[in-house]
Amino acid sequence: MLTLEDVHVSYGQLPAVRGVSLEVPSGGVLAVIGANGAGKSTLLKAIAGQLPLRSGRILLDGADISGLPAHVRVRRGVALVPEGRRLFKSLTVEENLLTALASRRTGPWDLEAVYELLPIVAERRDRIAGDLSGGEAQATAIARALVTNPLVLLLDEVSLGLAPVVVGQIYAGLPAIRSQGTAVLLVEQDVRQATSASPDVHCLLQGRTSLAGRDLPLDEITDAYFGA
Ligand SMILES: Nc1ncnc2c1ncn2[C@@H]1O[C@H](COP(=O)(O)OP(=O)(O)OP(=O)(O)O)[C@@H](O)[C@H]1O
Ligand SMILES: [Mg+2]
């Protein structure tokens, strides 16, 4: 579903992602892990079209989307849940979800379906987004991405700063999302969280792939993570 071929991304002269290739099949999941500054968010932003590629290609369902603007990629089926969630803080939860409907593709996820998947969002639908707890805001951000019916869902550190029980609730929704054919690419700094969510991991170290594979031993991942 999603293929990256030798992707390079820079900020001016500063390379941040240096030759990353990966694949996530339809209904599959891949965890991208790495320390602070490894290039994880840069990679997700490049896939979403918020940063240009310096070189390489991004394919969605076989089609090259590398040159498309971000809003077109959403309509083609790429949804990003960004670091820090970026909700419209003065709007209600439901109004936040409604803002995404303009880019909605046909598919199983409508308001009713995401409310069923994420009851915490349903309970808070009339709350002002700025008044939500971290977990509620994160669940709302995921719901907002989901109502676009993405082929690829990009999750940037959804567990960061949340209580373990809330993280569990959020990750519990992934199987239902994947069962509709959506490919999930998730970014985590927390290796245990990442490996419990996905048997396939892709480790970045200073913008480069330091390790990639399935069911890798934890010590091997830790070495790749810290560059030992
Ligand atoms: N807007 C920017 N301008 C210049 N350099 C940037 C910018 N954003 C990120 N960088 C640099 O690019 C590199 C990768 O940053 P990125 O945010 O992708 O890392 P990350 O893996 O998401 O880290 P974190 O776990 O802290 O979120 C870092 O060296 C960072 O300092
Ligand atoms: Mg980041």
Side-chain angles (χ1 to χ4, degrees), residues 8-11 13-18 20 37-40 42-43 51 204-208:
H8 289 252
V9 188
S10 299
Y11 296 100
Q13 294 301 310
L14 265 173
V17 171
R18 307 192 264 186
V20 170
K40 306 180 298 297
T42 302
L43 188 69
L51 289 171
L204 293 183
L205 180 69
Q206 295 172 2
R208 288 198 178 89

Side-chain angles (χ1 to χ4, degrees), residues 7 33 47 84 106 117 121 128 138 153 166 174 194-195 209 218 221 223:
V7 164
I33 59 176
I47 297 168
T106 52
L117 180 75
V121 180
I128 298 295
Q138 192 64 74
L153 181 63
V166 180
L174 283 194
T195 51
T209 302
L218 196 61
I221 297 176
D223 285 352

